[in-house]
Amino acid sequence: MDIAAVLEAALLSPDPKARQDAEAQLELAAKEHFVPYLGMLTNTLGNESVKTEVRILAGIGIKNQLVAKDAKTKLAQTERWVAIESPAKNQIKQTALQSLLSPDDRVANAAAQLVAAIADIELPRNEWPDLMVVLVDNTRENQPVNVKRASLLAIGYICETADPTNSGVVAQANGILTAIVQGARSAEPSIVVRQTAINALVNSLEFIRDNFEREGERNYIMQVVCEATQAPDEKLQASAFGALARIMSMYYSYMRLYMEKALYGLTVEGMKNPSNDVSCMAVEFWSTVCEEEIEITLQQSDVYDEEEVVDRENFEFAKFAINEVLPTLLDLLTRQEEDADDDEWNVAMAAAACLQLFAENTGSAVVNLTLQFVEVNIQQPDWRRREAAVMAFGSILDGPDHGTLAHVIGQALPPMLSLMNDAVLQVKDTVAWCLGRIADLVIEGINTDTHLPEIMKALIIGFQDHPKVLTNCCWTLINLTEQLGQEGPYSQTTPISPYYDALLQGLIQASTRTDNENSSRTSTYEALGVLASCSAADTLPLVTNVSAVIVQRLESTLIMQAQLVGMDDRSNLEELQISLLSVLTNIIRRVSPNDRNTSDRLMTLLLSLLQQKLPNSLIEEDIFIAIGSVAGAVQENFNVYLEAFIPYLMKALEDPDSPTCNTAVGLVADLAVALGAQIEPYCDMFMNIFLTNLQNASVRRDVKVSILSCFGDIASAIGQNFEKYLAIVMQVLVQASSLRKEADSPYDIVDYIHQLREAILDAYAGIVQGMREKPDVLLPYIQSIFGFLSLIHTNQSMIRSESVVRSIVGLIGDIADIYKQGEVKVYYQDEWLTDLIRKARADRSFSASLKETAKWAREQQKMQLAL
């Protein structure tokens, strides 16, 4: 095989079939002749007479045989590399290092990636001992610029992918640091070498922890980076400020001296730099400072479990520098780009994000300076200053004292609302965003008598404005409704009720858009859904009228679906269907239509959507949720639809890799609640699938959590008929409850264990409720249940949750109520049980209803102890 010719054909041939054939040849060679294939690629990489593009592809081809995102594939590739004879591996490594010296930067870049891929396998195994020696030597003063750059790039790649906890990799830290410092220091004449070195330093910071903790080495590192912020090249300056931000993030506790000596001044001047790249990275430094100080404050509060608290001192760098940094940030807000893309980060966006972090970190300290800026600029003729004033105000609403903010909001709203009629789109868009922030964070600043009518008028006008303004107006309305109308389902009226008619009409009209620019159409449907969810009794007729429009639009999408050809049109239609289903679900849950004609029409529509959905469609989950709402509305009458629906439900349950599977499990729980004992004929099918999925190690954790919780719903629904499943289910629950977190458990494992225990609690509650008519059958498992409850009691984060405590005290009371002959008295003598009930009754953060449940549980405990 002429590997160079095949590579060239795969990359450069204008004939698609020739490219496809060449790729197939390469795949076959890699599969059946791995070592010779690597050898051919290696020769091509090192052959300077071959085209640059082909050499690059050869280097990348070798690298791709060594790296993979999937852990299993990565392990297999590592084992395959290790099994290769040493001479063959040495030839590849020698060629990779030689190619680093190529004067063609693109070839050298590919070689740097290959070197890093091999190092990722060999350094943890304490192999390739001379690698770092070679790379360090390549960065010495006498080496050509291209060699120094490529070698530093390789070091950066090595640090980016390697495990910083592996001793074999950490052992190379001195060499890594030597090479980086040689390249980054101000004496290095090449800007590109210095920038590559600074970038490599950012990737290496985890590996050089021991070096950074030594004062002398730390001082030199900081000196090199600080000098780079003053370099004559803007890209290098930006990289240096980025490196300082990363250092602050990782080594905050060492930064006090450097802040006092240099960093305050350097970063403030950096923020003032006319270059957007430099200014953005200098702002990022202060964002990082605030993030670290916010994290320290949280760690010192009761948000964290006691065993997770880390003793870190908060130096309050942000508060100390606020008089210098804040005016600079506020001024940067005026550096907007008139035609900026929403996805394009710029210095004004960076400043606004940093200002929000300053407010969260320093609280009311930001208020006076910001208000002065707002007062001066909010009515300026320059639109940038008007927009910056509104952005500044909206950015400080999370952190300062609410009483202070509520007062200034009352003063700021009139001039701000007048800007909803501004001639400049950016100003109107930011005003709508700011109103949403006020509604979300400081609702007490809005007077429902004086402010709310004007806000609603502005929002309704905004519904007909540019998609950006429309989207933010919808977000504002959502926040207002959730804050002021959250008691709607339980009330005759709410402060939002008088505006429902105009709001619903405005949103229905705005949602007729054929596109979804800036997510505007999605936002209108989200707002309609929230209005439906929070509707009070006096607005239910209006919401019911909306349901007819939504159903009609959903039915029309079925006709449209058959006429679509392009994928973009299909995606657009599916997004519309998902939005419509979300609104419909909320309306059904609120209105609860229970007449047969309505439910027949709804189920016919939903089953048609299931039947006609496209392959790989995301809509199935939303259809299931809507069907669950219908089941909740019609209760036991849903039985007439089961025969038609069960095949779709079973298919989803039998495909645990599908994103719909978890929703399907939740729907089984909803059906159990709605149908009660009528669900029993289908339970064998459900339970068999559930147990199979629980035994499958590859099934997602969230699915398993939902299954455990669903056991409780099924048990509660079918009562004593759950007996035939009881033994195996209790075995599964006991096994699941034995899972413990370790000291070094990652967050996702800790979170999974927390969710698992809540699900087990739900299961036990349902099982106890369902089996209460067969106490003798349940009795052998009571010890396991109380053992689990005592375990939960030791978890401080869990017993701060009202839902968890409610479930525990409810279980305690229910079990006592079942066994009145002293069979379980011994469990009610435990001190932890008394302590938990006492805390449930005394905790001021818990609701009155929970305290009543706890009081009842205490009475049940007393009855047990008296037996």
Side-chain angles (χ1 to χ4, degrees), residues 293-304 309 360:
E293 293 182 348
I294 291 167
E295 179 69 15
I296 293 170
T297 301
L298 286 173
Q299 289 175 343
Q300 293 171 348
S301 71
D302 61 356
V303 172
Y304 284 73
V309 172
E360 188 177 351

Side-chain angles (χ1 to χ4, degrees), residues 249-489:
S249 174
M250 292 189 62
Y251 299 109
Y252 176 92
S253 59
Y254 292 108
M255 289 296 104
R256 190 171 194 169
L257 172 66
Y258 308 106
M259 290 294 286
E260 294 171 354
K261 295 287 187 182
L263 296 185
Y264 280 120
L266 286 178
T267 52
V268 171
E269 286 304 308
M271 287 193 291
K272 296 175 181 177
N273 194 296
S275 163
N276 280 345
D277 289 340
V278 176
S279 183
C280 273
M281 295 315 298
V283 170
E284 179 64 23
F285 172 84
W286 281 103
S287 292
T288 304
V289 169
C290 290
E291 286 170 346
E292 287 302 302
E293 293 182 348
I294 291 167
E295 179 69 15
I296 293 170
T297 301
L298 286 173
Q299 289 175 343
Q300 293 171 348
S301 71
D302 61 356
V303 172
Y304 284 73
D305 288 344
E306 292 181 9
E307 65 264 26
E308 296 175 346
V309 172
V310 179
D311 186 18
R312 299 172 66 197
E313 183 178 357
N314 188 339
F315 297 124
E316 298 188 335
F317 294 139
K319 188 172 289 187
F320 179 80
I322 197 166
N323 289 328
E324 295 176 359
V325 175
L326 203 60
T328 307
L329 283 176
L330 292 168
D331 189 59
L332 291 178
L333 293 176
T334 65
R335 281 171 55 175
Q336 311 95 321
E337 297 176 17
E338 190 160 3
D339 55 351
D341 191 297
D342 288 342
D343 297 327
E344 184 179 334
W345 194 246
N346 60 52
V347 69
M349 293 177 179
C354 188
L355 182 57
Q356 290 180 38
L357 289 167
F358 254 88
E360 188 177 351
N361 184 23
T362 64
S364 298
V366 301
V367 173
N368 288 337
L369 285 171
T370 304
L371 288 183
Q372 292 170 19
F373 178 82
V374 172
E375 289 170 5
V376 169
N377 290 285
I378 197 165
Q379 295 181 334
Q380 287 285 342
D382 182 351
W383 74 264
R384 285 182 169 82
R385 294 203 163 271
R386 296 197 303 276
E387 193 273 343
V390 180
M391 177 63 73
F393 192 86
S395 297
I396 64 164
L397 297 175
D398 186 11
D401 173 69
H402 274 213
T404 302
L405 288 175
H407 175 69
V408 298
I409 286 170
Q411 297 175 319
L413 274 174
M416 197 176 299
L417 286 169
S418 71
L419 292 178
M420 279 295 286
N421 299 312
D422 200 277
V424 179
L425 170 61
Q426 289 90 332
V427 176
K428 291 186 289 186
D429 183 32
T430 303
V431 171
W433 167 82
C434 185
L435 291 174
R437 291 269 293 178
I438 293 170
D440 183 35
L441 299 168
V442 200
I443 190 65
E444 56 267 44
I446 296 176
N447 185 298
T448 55
D449 295 324
T450 58
H451 298 144
L452 192 58
E454 296 304 314
I455 292 175
M456 289 301 184
K457 186 187 302 181
L459 295 182
I460 292 168
I461 294 172
F463 291 162
Q464 305 305 317
D465 210 314
H466 188 279
K468 288 184 177 180
V469 178
L470 168 58
T471 297
N472 273 322
C473 284
C474 289
W475 179 60
T476 298
L477 177 59
I478 289 169
N479 291 335
L480 283 169
T481 305
E482 289 178 340
Q483 296 276 15
L484 299 176
Q486 58 183 329
E487 296 300 319

Side-chain angles (χ1 to χ4, degrees), residues 664-678:
V665 176
L667 183 50
V668 171
D670 292 340
L671 293 176
V673 172
L675 294 168
Q678 293 187 66

Side-chain angles (χ1 to χ4, degrees), residues 132-164:
M132 209 51 64
V133 176
V134 172
L135 293 179
V136 171
D137 187 64
N138 284 351
T139 62
R140 297 194 187 282
E141 287 184 46
N142 60 339
Q143 294 285 8
V145 167
N146 65 292
V147 174
K148 288 188 281 189
R149 185 202 69 85
S151 299
L152 286 164
L153 186 64
I155 289 172
Y157 285 150
I158 290 169
C159 295
E160 186 177 15
T161 58
D163 179 4

